[in-house]
Amino acid sequence: MKTQKTHLSDNELRWGVRIHAFWYVVANIAQVIVWWFATPDLYFWPVWSILGWGIGLVIHIWAVRTVLSRHATT
């Protein structure tokens, strides 16, 4: 069986990061609002998704920047 490798354009890579960052912000703001109204007297539990997802977002940004810098040198 033959597998085809799909290459994304530089613009598609950048848009992927933008979409990821957009939903990171939207989802975490929503969680902070839920925390604020539902359990403000408890510890700030949204920190776990902010940090966890933030790590994933940083890795995504790093990976895309690496690919784009390799494209620029070739």
Side-chain angles (χ1 to χ4, degrees):
M1 187 168 132
K2 204 178 203 183
T3 58
Q4 289 183 328
K5 219 174 189 184
T6 308
H7 295 285
L8 298 174
S9 70
D10 291 355
N11 196 36
E12 289 171 322
L13 291 171
R14 286 185 189 96
W15 268 105
V17 169
R18 288 180 187 135
I19 291 167
H20 190 172
F22 172 79
W23 286 112
Y24 170 80
V25 170
V26 169
N28 285 302
I29 287 173
Q31 288 183 48
V32 170
I33 291 169
V34 168
W35 168 80
W36 182 265
F37 286 105
T39 58
D41 52 337
L42 295 178
Y43 76 99
F44 186 67
W45 52 262
V47 71
W48 301 112
S49 67
I50 291 168
L51 291 175
W53 195 349
I55 291 168
L57 180 59
V58 167
I59 292 169
H60 187 180
I61 292 167
W62 173 76
V64 168
R65 287 178 58 114
T66 302
V67 169
L68 292 177
S69 69
R70 288 184 184 162
H71 287 179
T73 59
T74 57

